[in-house]
Amino acid sequence: MLFHVRMDVRIPRDLPADEAAEILAREKAYSQELQASGKWRHIWRLAGEYANFSIFDVRDNTELHEILVGLPLFKFMEIQVTPLLRHPSSIREDDS
Amino acid sequence: MLFHVRMDVRIPRDLPADEAAEILAREKAYSQELQASGKWRHIWRLAGEYANFSIFDVRDNTELHEILVGLPLFKFMEIQVTPLLRHPSSIREDDS
Amino acid sequence: MLFHVRMDVRIPRDLPADEAAEILAREKAYSQELQASGKWRHIWRLAGEYANFSIFDVRDNTELHEILVGLPLFKFMEIQVTPLLRHPSSIREDDS
Amino acid sequence: MLFHVRMDVRIPRDLPADEAAEILAREKAYSQELQASGKWRHIWRLAGEYANFSIFDVRDNTELHEILVGLPLFKFMEIQVTPLLRHPSSIREDDS
Amino acid sequence: MLFHVRMDVRIPRDLPADEAAEILAREKAYSQELQASGKWRHIWRLAGEYANFSIFDVRDNTELHEILVGLPLFKFMEIQVTPLLRHPSSIREDDS
Amino acid sequence: MLFHVRMDVRIPRDLPADEAAEILAREKAYSQELQASGKWRHIWRLAGEYANFSIFDVRDNTELHEILVGLPLFKFMEIQVTPLLRHPSSIREDDS
Amino acid sequence: MLFHVRMDVRIPRDLPADEAAEILAREKAYSQELQASGKWRHIWRLAGEYANFSIFDVRDNTELHEILVGLPLFKFMEIQVTPLLRHPSSIREDDS
Amino acid sequence: MLFHVRMDVRIPRDLPADEAAEILAREKAYSQELQASGKWRHIWRLAGEYANFSIFDVRDNTELHEILVGLPLFKFMEIQVTPLLRHPSSIREDDS
Amino acid sequence: MLFHVRMDVRIPRDLPADEAAEILAREKAYSQELQASGKWRHIWRLAGEYANFSIFDVRDNTELHEILVGLPLFKFMEIQVTPLLRHPSSIREDDS
Amino acid sequence: MLFHVRMDVRIPRDLPADEAAEILAREKAYSQELQASGKWRHIWRLAGEYANFSIFDVRDNTELHEILVGLPLFKFMEIQVTPLLRHPSSIREDDS
């Protein structure tokens, strides 16, 4: 089941540099593991903004929630969730 | 080059039913042709809304513009365009 | 799986009274059938507004979408969908 | 008498961890006591957000206000209150 | 129990003058009857706007809703409802 | 002459508790003195919010301004002022 | 007593040209009479918009309201009223 | 050439009192000098707000900009600029 | 003197096609004449929107206003004006 | 390929003056180098605001993004990107 998620990141200026670097490294590893599993199907950067549009393919709302609150950057993010589905004009068989 | 586009459709109530049906049929054909060509890479429906999120892969802003203003439903749409790029945390080689 | 939906209804002033009555009757029947099935778990009226907050319990986003676009009043509604889940402080075993 | 309440929580980053934990524990106990009493009828989490939608069943506005300002997290919350009532299309006898 | 209500009136330009006059006369009578009963405690005009702030004193949300949807101008109004209560700094014994 | 005022209070978290208590005590005394004089005609609390709706009856804009900037909590408030007048549907002789 | 008023004008496209011309002529005469009386102290056009900022000097809110609802264009205007007063840094004796 | 400017002032709470007093004194002197020169034609206070509406009469955009960024309070202000001109209904020969 | 202008065009659906074509032809000629004169320095289309960003170089606010209200499409446009000036980091001698 | 970018700058008050000066000097040099290269085609200041409108001419979204995130002031900016193209009414051969 698909969800469109916009994440805007705001790192506080007084976060120590090494702490920020450590969180960002964990964030990247966390994201890549979920991408590899197929649950985080796409991630794109918005040009000129510290933000991404992502597509998640999860079992249900609960799994989506657990993935999002588990983000190492979660407390520094503003998140917008939109449930999606296959569009009737899509030429594909599935929702990809 | 990637763009994220949100399209919200508002069909006027006084549009004759056959005219609406004809426009919708042309819209679907137009979209599917562009999907087949690879320029309209994804299209998803927003649950409960007459709207879609789409990803376009075009040569430049001009090509994107020509595709969007050529939509048979263009005059009944509100459109928001966001330029995208490959995210540094993506596990893929390209911007897919 | 739960979704919170806000529906705001705007009946156009030039809709003939009998047509409006017929649509409203179908809307009520449609809603009550879904309530009886358990898919439309709650519906409450907002005091002083032609609007409701509803809770849906559906299989997935697609089922929610089909229910919402099937509403006889759909074309006269503005709809906002929010995916929900059981709250960790809830005293209930399930998501009710 | 029913009220729909949306609560968005913003814990300040400089709140000491033990103080935060203590407040959250009190918040949970406070909420569960009110749920057990029947006054806090429902609480659901919004997927991906540190927020909930709740339904309160109270005697009047004053009781609602006292419950909300008594929340241990009250000073870290943004709260929106909407008075509700039984919907005329509901299949239930009462406002549940 | 008190509610603060803001009502903004938008009379459509194509409403026949006699129909408008008839609705406005009924609106005034309806309002004055409720004022006399004590349920519509205050009504003030906003300077320069076709709008009012009103204070209602009703039994519960349901009574408020029935009063508001019964307004002859209801379908031409935008309405915002805010539940109120006695302020702790008030010098009065009651909520007046 | 009447004014409707909405006041939203935001006490900074780092204000020392005794300083906050002292300001709140002065605020209450200040408000009650003005209520007793008849200039601050009504004050109601918004359910669930640290905010009030008030009605002032003052000589002119200048007197209103001086009262508001004299509030001990003024620097912690967001204030919205709306000039009011007797509504033509009011059943009262005056603007009460 | 001073008020700042912003007026945005929206003439409906289907208003017959002669009716529009007649209303605009009455609007101009009405405005100029009030300017001559000193009650409508200033009127300026916003560059590129069908809108004005005006300063009114009136006895009270009621007089302001009567002037504004008496505007021949009133029903085609959106109006925002802000009460003003002499600024403490003004070099003038009065509020001009 | 005329400009309408709205200035909202937000003095940070941790600005030392003497520093604030010194800035406010400079602000007042700066404003009064420009008023005396005729460039800052009007300044009015908004009732109940730490804000003013001002009218500037300057040679061009550059002069306006230099005046505004030269305000001692500039870094604590939010500023909105609107270009103005003589209104066709004005009874005056010039743009006053 | 420079101004940045955003123009959003909304052609009403019931405007006869030949009337629309005639207005659009006049709009193009009007714009090109002003571009040739140097007063309309730039015009760019926003990708996917019926809108443009333009830069005007005019004598003063009044000339800008006369140009904008003289646009054949003026009554179908929403217009936002922002006064500009040479940026201190510009590498050019003038404001181009 | 053209992009319109609005940049609003917010320098934190507690940034040491020498650090701010050093960042601003780097920002200016960075901007002027890109202007000289032709990629940052225009930069204009908004009158009265710490903000600019810029036009970039870049190869693609990725190059735009790299330029923007490389701005020494990037972390103190709010940025809005709008893709542009030659307007059909332009009198120029190219998109200048």
Side-chain angles (χ1 to χ4, degrees):
Chain A
M1 206 171 67
L2 297 189
F3 290 91
H4 178 280
V5 178
R6 177 177 175 147
M7 306 180 199
D8 286 87
V9 184
R10 308 263 177 269
I11 308 269
R13 205 160 59 83
D14 61 354
L15 191 71
D18 54 346
E19 191 178 335
E22 186 269 340
I23 293 174
L24 290 168
R26 278 198 291 123
E27 177 81 13
K28 186 168 188 171
Y30 181 88
S31 170
Q32 292 190 332
E33 188 173 354
L34 283 159
Q35 289 178 62
S37 78
K39 290 184 192 301
W40 195 326
R41 201 188 279 179
H42 297 284
I43 179 168
W44 292 289
R45 188 70 177 263
L46 281 71
E49 299 192 63
Y50 198 168
N52 71 71
F53 283 132
S54 289
I55 304 292
F56 287 88
D57 179 12
V58 292
R59 200 174 45 247
D60 55 19
N61 295 344
T62 302
E63 189 180 30
L64 176 71
H65 183 72
E66 282 162 5
I67 287 172
L68 294 176
V69 301
L71 288 162
L73 282 171
F74 179 71
K75 70 172 143 244
F76 305 132
M77 279 178 169
E78 190 179 341
I79 284 181
Q80 283 176 282
V81 173
T82 312
L84 296 183
L85 58 150
R86 184 181 174 280
H87 194 281
S89 294
S90 172
I91 58 171
R92 307 192 191 176
E93 292 301 307
D94 58 10
D95 62 9
S96 67
Chain B
M1 206 173 65
L2 295 191
F3 290 91
H4 179 279
V5 179
R6 177 177 174 147
M7 305 179 200
D8 286 86
V9 184
R10 306 267 177 267
I11 307 269
R13 221 176 95 247
D14 60 355
L15 192 72
D18 54 347
E19 191 177 336
E22 186 270 341
I23 293 174
L24 290 168
R26 279 197 291 124
E27 177 82 13
K28 186 168 188 171
Y30 180 89
S31 168
Q32 293 190 331
E33 188 173 353
L34 284 158
Q35 289 178 63
S37 78
K39 290 183 192 300
W40 194 327
R41 203 189 277 179
H42 295 286
I43 179 168
W44 292 289
R45 188 71 176 261
L46 281 71
E49 298 192 64
Y50 197 169
N52 70 72
F53 282 133
S54 289
I55 304 291
F56 286 89
D57 180 10
V58 292
R59 199 173 46 247
D60 55 19
N61 295 344
T62 302
E63 188 179 33
L64 176 71
H65 183 71
E66 282 163 5
I67 286 172
L68 294 176
V69 301
L71 288 162
L73 282 171
F74 179 71
K75 69 172 145 242
F76 305 132
M77 280 178 169
E78 189 179 343
I79 284 182
Q80 285 175 282
V81 172
T82 311
L84 296 183
L85 57 151
R86 185 180 174 280
H87 194 281
S89 294
S90 173
I91 57 171
R92 307 193 191 176
E93 293 300 308
D94 58 10
D95 63 7
S96 68
Chain C
M1 206 173 64
L2 295 191
F3 290 90
H4 179 279
V5 179
R6 178 177 175 147
M7 305 180 200
D8 286 86
V9 184
R10 307 267 177 266
I11 308 269
R13 204 161 58 84
D14 61 354
L15 192 72
D18 54 347
E19 191 178 336
E22 186 269 341
I23 293 174
L24 290 167
R26 279 197 290 125
E27 177 81 13
K28 186 169 189 171
Y30 181 89
S31 169
Q32 293 191 331
E33 188 173 353
L34 284 158
Q35 289 178 62
S37 77
K39 292 183 191 300
W40 193 328
R41 203 189 276 180
H42 296 286
I43 178 169
W44 293 289
R45 187 72 177 260
L46 280 72
E49 298 192 63
Y50 197 169
N52 70 72
F53 283 131
S54 289
I55 304 292
F56 286 89
D57 180 10
V58 292
R59 199 174 46 248
D60 55 19
N61 295 344
T62 301
E63 188 179 32
L64 176 71
H65 182 72
E66 281 162 5
I67 287 172
L68 293 176
V69 301
L71 288 162
L73 282 171
F74 180 71
K75 69 172 144 244
F76 305 132
M77 281 178 168
E78 188 178 343
I79 284 181
Q80 285 176 281
V81 172
T82 311
L84 297 182
L85 57 151
R86 185 181 174 280
H87 194 281
S89 294
S90 173
I91 59 171
R92 307 193 190 176
E93 293 300 310
D94 58 9
D95 62 8
S96 67
Chain D
M1 206 172 66
L2 296 190
F3 290 91
H4 179 279
V5 179
R6 176 177 175 146
M7 306 180 200
D8 286 87
V9 184
R10 308 264 176 270
I11 309 266
R13 221 174 98 249
D14 60 354
L15 193 71
D18 54 346
E19 191 178 335
E22 186 269 341
I23 293 174
L24 290 169
R26 279 197 291 125
E27 177 81 14
K28 186 168 187 171
Y30 181 88
S31 169
Q32 292 190 332
E33 188 174 352
L34 284 159
Q35 289 178 62
S37 77
K39 291 184 193 300
W40 195 326
R41 202 188 278 179
H42 296 285
I43 178 169
W44 293 288
R45 188 70 176 262
L46 281 70
E49 299 191 64
Y50 197 168
N52 70 72
F53 283 131
S54 288
I55 305 291
F56 287 89
D57 180 12
V58 292
R59 201 175 44 248
D60 55 18
N61 295 344
T62 302
E63 188 179 31
L64 176 71
H65 182 71
E66 282 162 5
I67 287 172
L68 294 176
V69 301
L71 288 162
L73 282 171
F74 179 71
K75 70 172 144 244
F76 304 132
M77 279 178 169
E78 189 178 342
I79 284 182
Q80 283 175 282
V81 173
T82 311
L84 296 183
L85 57 149
R86 184 182 175 278
H87 194 281
S89 294
S90 172
I91 58 172
R92 306 192 191 175
E93 292 300 308
D94 58 10
D95 62 9
S96 65
Chain E
M1 206 173 64
L2 295 191
F3 290 91
H4 180 279
V5 179
R6 177 177 176 147
M7 306 180 199
D8 286 86
V9 184
R10 307 265 178 266
I11 309 268
R13 205 160 58 85
D14 61 353
L15 192 72
D18 55 346
E19 191 178 336
E22 187 269 340
I23 293 174
L24 290 168
R26 279 197 290 125
E27 177 81 14
K28 186 169 189 170
Y30 181 89
S31 169
Q32 294 191 331
E33 188 173 353
L34 284 158
Q35 289 178 62
S37 77
K39 290 184 192 300
W40 194 328
R41 203 189 276 180
H42 296 286
I43 178 169
W44 293 289
R45 188 70 177 261
L46 281 70
E49 298 192 64
Y50 198 169
N52 70 72
F53 283 132
S54 290
I55 304 292
F56 287 88
D57 179 11
V58 292
R59 200 172 47 247
D60 56 18
N61 295 343
T62 302
E63 188 180 31
L64 176 71
H65 182 72
E66 282 163 4
I67 287 172
L68 293 176
V69 301
L71 288 162
L73 282 171
F74 179 72
K75 69 172 143 245
F76 306 132
M77 281 178 168
E78 189 178 344
I79 284 181
Q80 285 176 281
V81 172
T82 313
L84 296 182
L85 58 150
R86 185 181 173 280
H87 194 280
S89 294
S90 173
I91 59 171
R92 307 191 190 176
E93 293 300 309
D94 58 10
D95 62 7
S96 67
Chain F
M1 206 172 67
L2 297 189
F3 290 90
H4 179 280
V5 179
R6 177 177 175 146
M7 305 179 201
D8 286 87
V9 184
R10 308 265 176 269
I11 308 267
R13 206 161 58 85
D14 60 355
L15 192 72
D18 54 348
E19 190 178 336
E22 187 268 342
I23 293 175
L24 290 168
R26 279 197 291 125
E27 177 82 13
K28 187 168 188 171
Y30 180 90
S31 169
Q32 292 190 333
E33 189 174 350
L34 284 158
Q35 289 178 62
S37 77
K39 290 184 193 300
W40 194 327
R41 201 188 278 179
H42 295 286
I43 179 169
W44 292 289
R45 188 71 177 261
L46 281 70
E49 299 190 64
Y50 197 168
N52 69 73
F53 283 131
S54 289
I55 305 291
F56 287 89
D57 180 10
V58 291
R59 201 173 45 249
D60 55 18
N61 295 344
T62 302
E63 188 179 32
L64 176 70
H65 183 71
E66 282 163 5
I67 287 172
L68 294 176
V69 301
L71 288 162
L73 282 171
F74 179 71
K75 68 173 144 245
F76 305 132
M77 280 179 170
E78 189 179 343
I79 284 183
Q80 284 174 282
V81 173
T82 311
L84 295 183
L85 57 150
R86 184 181 174 278
H87 194 280
S89 293
S90 173
I91 59 172
R92 306 193 191 176
E93 292 300 308
D94 58 10
D95 63 8
S96 66
Chain G
M1 207 172 65
L2 296 191
F3 290 91
H4 179 279
V5 179
R6 178 179 174 146
M7 305 180 200
D8 286 87
V9 184
R10 307 266 177 267
I11 308 269
R13 206 161 57 84
D14 61 354
L15 192 71
D18 54 347
E19 191 178 335
E22 187 270 338
I23 293 174
L24 290 169
R26 280 197 290 124
E27 178 81 14
K28 186 169 189 171
Y30 181 89
S31 169
Q32 293 191 331
E33 188 173 354
L34 284 158
Q35 289 179 62
S37 77
K39 290 183 192 303
W40 194 327
R41 202 190 277 180
H42 296 286
I43 178 169
W44 292 290
R45 188 69 175 263
L46 281 71
E49 297 192 64
Y50 198 169
N52 70 73
F53 283 131
S54 289
I55 304 291
F56 288 88
D57 179 10
V58 293
R59 200 173 46 247
D60 55 18
N61 295 344
T62 301
E63 189 180 29
L64 177 71
H65 182 72
E66 282 162 5
I67 286 172
L68 293 177
V69 301
L71 288 163
L73 282 172
F74 179 71
K75 69 173 145 242
F76 305 132
M77 281 178 169
E78 188 179 344
I79 283 181
Q80 284 175 282
V81 172
T82 312
L84 296 183
L85 57 149
R86 184 181 175 281
H87 194 279
S89 294
S90 174
I91 59 172
R92 308 192 189 175
E93 293 300 308
D94 58 9
D95 63 7
S96 66
Chain H
M1 206 171 67
L2 297 189
F3 290 91
H4 179 280
V5 179
R6 176 178 175 144
M7 305 180 201
D8 287 86
V9 184
R10 307 265 177 269
I11 308 268
R13 206 160 58 84
D14 61 355
L15 192 71
D18 53 348
E19 190 177 337
E22 187 267 341
I23 293 175
L24 290 168
R26 279 197 291 125
E27 177 82 13
K28 187 168 187 170
Y30 181 89
S31 169
Q32 292 190 332
E33 188 174 352
L34 284 159
Q35 288 178 62
S37 77
K39 290 184 192 302
W40 194 327
R41 200 188 279 178
H42 296 284
I43 178 169
W44 292 289
R45 188 71 177 261
L46 281 71
E49 298 192 64
Y50 198 169
N52 69 74
F53 283 132
S54 289
I55 305 291
F56 287 89
D57 180 11
V58 291
R59 199 174 46 248
D60 56 18
N61 295 344
T62 301
E63 189 179 31
L64 176 71
H65 182 71
E66 282 163 5
I67 287 172
L68 294 176
V69 300
L71 289 162
L73 281 171
F74 179 71
K75 69 174 144 244
F76 305 132
M77 281 178 168
E78 189 179 342
I79 285 183
Q80 285 176 282
V81 173
T82 312
L84 295 184
L85 57 150
R86 183 181 175 278
H87 194 280
S89 293
S90 173
I91 58 171
R92 307 192 190 175
E93 292 300 308
D94 57 9
D95 63 7
S96 67
Chain I
M1 206 172 66
L2 296 191
F3 289 91
H4 179 280
V5 179
R6 178 178 174 146
M7 306 179 200
D8 286 86
V9 184
R10 307 266 177 267
I11 308 268
R13 205 161 56 86
D14 61 354
L15 191 72
D18 54 348
E19 191 177 336
E22 186 270 339
I23 294 174
L24 290 168
R26 280 197 291 125
E27 177 81 13
K28 187 169 188 171
Y30 181 89
S31 169
Q32 293 191 331
E33 188 173 353
L34 284 158
Q35 289 178 62
S37 78
K39 290 182 192 303
W40 194 327
R41 203 189 276 180
H42 295 286
I43 178 168
W44 292 288
R45 188 70 176 262
L46 281 71
E49 297 193 65
Y50 198 169
N52 70 73
F53 283 132
S54 290
I55 304 292
F56 287 88
D57 180 10
V58 292
R59 199 172 46 247
D60 55 19
N61 295 344
T62 302
E63 189 179 31
L64 176 71
H65 182 71
E66 282 163 5
I67 286 172
L68 294 177
V69 301
L71 288 163
L73 282 171
F74 179 72
K75 69 174 144 242
F76 305 132
M77 280 178 169
E78 189 179 343
I79 283 181
Q80 284 175 282
V81 172
T82 311
L84 296 184
L85 57 150
R86 184 180 174 280
H87 194 281
S89 294
S90 173
I91 58 170
R92 307 193 190 175
E93 292 300 308
D94 57 10
D95 63 7
S96 67
Chain J
M1 206 172 66
L2 297 190
F3 290 90
H4 179 279
V5 178
R6 177 178 174 145
M7 305 180 201
D8 286 87
V9 184
R10 307 264 177 269
I11 308 268
R13 220 173 98 250
D14 60 354
L15 192 70
D18 54 347
E19 190 177 337
E22 186 267 342
I23 293 175
L24 290 168
R26 278 197 291 125
E27 177 81 13
K28 188 168 187 171
Y30 181 89
S31 170
Q32 293 191 331
E33 189 174 352
L34 284 159
Q35 289 178 62
S37 78
K39 290 183 192 302
W40 194 327
R41 201 189 279 179
H42 296 284
I43 178 169
W44 292 288
R45 189 70 177 262
L46 281 71
E49 298 192 64
Y50 198 169
N52 70 72
F53 283 132
S54 290
I55 305 291
F56 287 89
D57 179 11
V58 292
R59 201 173 45 247
D60 55 18
N61 295 343
T62 302
E63 189 180 31
L64 176 71
H65 182 71
E66 282 162 6
I67 288 172
L68 294 176
V69 301
L71 289 162
L73 283 171
F74 179 71
K75 69 175 144 242
F76 305 133
M77 280 177 168
E78 189 179 342
I79 284 182
Q80 284 175 282
V81 173
T82 312
L84 296 183
L85 57 151
R86 184 180 174 280
H87 194 281
S89 293
S90 173
I91 58 171
R92 307 192 190 175
E93 292 300 308
D94 58 10
D95 63 7
S96 67

